[in-house]
């Protein structure tokens, strides 16, 4: 493994070195950012489809980006790949005192609780006003941010006790959305729709359902059914379908 890893590091350095690849040499963290995001999503697709050949390829692409970004900083004299690896090793040891220390835990929930407390104490060493929410990337999709904020708050006890309380909150937010719709105030409507989405995400979290995965599942379901409609319209050569016709094909797709 070490030889293969070293080989990849040397290849990236060669590509970035004088006389290397002109495209690779002109890349920056910001120019590579969209490619990194794309590669991570491709990895997620491979995981979801359980295609392990694709997963192997996409893991390699993500690893390439990690080394590429690290090499840019190494050229500037900030840190190199060894520093990155040492940092994550130290963090894993520090945040697993029940494995590498003498702390005892009762189960996974306590491990997560301890992890968050350790993270917060680390941040407070640099900022006494640090928050549990500080570590959530702002660039993540809003649905994921909502769930992560709710998870972190719940770990210190800021949470509903019964599912009916969450459902009642959802009914309350839908009622407020209904009132906003009557006002025809776009800003207020947007605000209330956000509140409804936030509570639905909280409901999913309370039920131990990942809201992002749930929505991805529904997106895939919609995609398959809509593609079925398109297929039937092509087969029957219907160029201007009515809603009634499309509903008929939609219901057929649901039954499959």
């Amino acid at each position: 493994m070490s030889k293969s890893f070293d080989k990849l590091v040397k290849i990236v350095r060669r590509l970035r070195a004088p006389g290397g690849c002109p495209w690779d040499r002109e890349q920056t963290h910001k120019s590579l950012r969209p490619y990194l995001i794309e590669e991570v999503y491709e990895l997620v697709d491979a995981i979801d489809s359980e295609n392990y050949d694709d997963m192997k390829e996409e893991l390699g692409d993500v690893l390439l980006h990690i080394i590429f970004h690290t090499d840019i900083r190494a050229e500037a004299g900030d840190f190199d790949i060894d520093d990155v690896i040492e940092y994550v090793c130290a963090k894993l040891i520090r945040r697993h005192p029940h494995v590498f220390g003498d702390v005892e835990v009762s189960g996974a929930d306590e491990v997560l609780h301890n992890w968050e407390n350790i993270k917060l104490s680390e941040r407070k060493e640099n900022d006494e006003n640090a928050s549990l929410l500080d570590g959530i990337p702002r660039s993540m999709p809003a649905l994921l941010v909502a769930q992560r904020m709710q998870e972190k708050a719940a770990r210190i006890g800021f949470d509903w006790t019964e599912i009916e309380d969450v459902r009642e909150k959802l009914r309350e937010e839908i009622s407020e959305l209904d009132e906003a719709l009557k006002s025809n105030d776009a800003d207020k409507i947007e605000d209330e729709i956000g509140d409804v989405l936030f509570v639905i995400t909280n409901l999913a979290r309370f039920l131990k359902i990942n809201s992002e995965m749930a929505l991805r599942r529904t997106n895939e379901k919609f995609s398959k059914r809509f593609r079925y409609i398109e297929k039937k319209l092509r087969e029957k050569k219907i160029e201007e379908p009515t809603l009634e016709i499309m509903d008929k094909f939609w219901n057929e797709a649901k039954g499959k």
Side-chain angles (χ1 to χ4, degrees):
M1 181 180 70
S2 178
K3 286 184 178 180
S4 298
F5 185 81
D6 290 345
K7 180 180 179 181
L8 179 57
V9 171
K10 288 177 181 177
I11 289 173
V12 172
R13 286 176 181 168
R14 177 72 181 87
L15 291 171
R16 293 274 303 171
C21 173
W23 186 89
D24 289 311
R25 283 176 51 77
E26 69 181 19
Q27 297 311 305
T28 65
H29 295 303
K30 288 187 176 180
S31 70
L32 289 170
R33 181 179 179 276
Y35 301 113
L36 174 58
I37 293 171
E38 181 180 344
E39 295 298 352
V40 172
Y41 277 120
E42 288 178 359
L43 173 58
V44 171
D45 284 345
I47 292 171
D48 288 347
S49 64
E50 297 184 352
N51 187 324
Y52 299 121
D53 286 335
D54 284 354
M55 186 176 174
K56 176 177 66 177
E57 178 182 350
E58 300 307 336
L59 282 168
D61 290 342
V62 172
L63 178 59
L64 169 60
H65 274 271
I66 292 170
I67 294 173
F68 212 121
H69 282 278
T70 303
D71 196 63
I72 293 174
R73 295 277 36 95
E75 291 170 3
D78 295 327
F79 57 80
D80 60 19
I81 192 65
D82 288 334
D83 296 321
V84 171
I85 294 172
E86 283 299 323
Y87 185 88
V88 72
C89 286
K91 181 166 67 174
L92 286 171
I93 292 171
R94 189 170 61 249
R95 294 186 184 176
H96 289 82
H98 54 287
V99 176
F100 301 102
D102 55 7
V103 173
E104 295 184 2
V105 294
S106 58
D109 287 343
E110 191 173 353
V111 170
L112 291 175
H113 179 77
N114 290 344
W115 178 283
E116 293 297 343
N117 285 338
I118 294 168
K119 281 180 67 175
L120 184 58
S121 65
E122 290 170 354
R123 290 199 180 93
K124 285 188 173 180
E125 290 179 3
N126 299 316
D127 179 5
E128 62 180 15
N129 296 315
S131 166
L132 274 173
L133 307 181
D134 287 344
I136 301 174
R138 291 175 296 175
S139 55
M140 276 204 315
L143 193 64
L144 287 176
V145 172
Q147 181 142 351
R148 291 295 290 133
M149 287 196 299
Q150 293 161 4
E151 288 170 350
K152 286 176 177 287
R155 285 175 192 160
I156 62 166
F158 190 69
D159 197 8
W160 306 100
T161 55
E162 302 290 339
I163 188 171
E164 186 53 38
D165 296 330
V166 192
R167 295 178 64 191
E168 178 57 35
K169 182 63 176 177
L170 178 57
R171 286 190 285 267
E172 175 188 322
E173 295 297 350
I174 291 175
S175 177
E176 291 179 5
L177 173 58
D178 288 339
E179 290 301 313
L181 289 170
K182 293 176 185 177
S183 72
N184 205 30
D185 184 326
D187 186 65
K188 186 179 293 186
I189 292 170
E190 180 182 280
D191 188 57
E192 296 302 337
I193 286 177
D195 288 346
V196 171
L197 289 171
F198 193 84
V199 177
I200 289 175
T201 302
N202 216 351
L203 177 63
R205 178 200 58 81
F206 195 88
L207 294 170
K208 300 187 184 306
I209 292 171
N210 184 293
S211 54
E212 174 73 14
M213 295 305 297
L215 185 56
R216 284 172 65 89
R217 182 175 178 177
T218 296
N219 287 345
E220 184 63 25
K221 185 165 54 179
F222 179 89
S223 176
K224 287 180 179 178
R225 291 174 182 175
F226 190 78
R227 290 173 189 274
Y228 178 84
I229 293 174
E230 292 177 310
K231 176 174 175 287
K232 298 301 289 186
L233 292 176
R234 286 194 300 270
E235 288 176 353
K236 296 184 178 296
K237 296 181 171 55
I238 302 174
E239 295 183 359
E240 296 184 7
T242 63
L243 179 58
E244 183 180 8
I245 291 173
M246 289 188 286
D247 272 343
K248 176 178 178 294
F249 293 145
W250 176 270
N251 290 327
E252 285 181 11
K254 284 180 67 176
K256 291 185 176 295

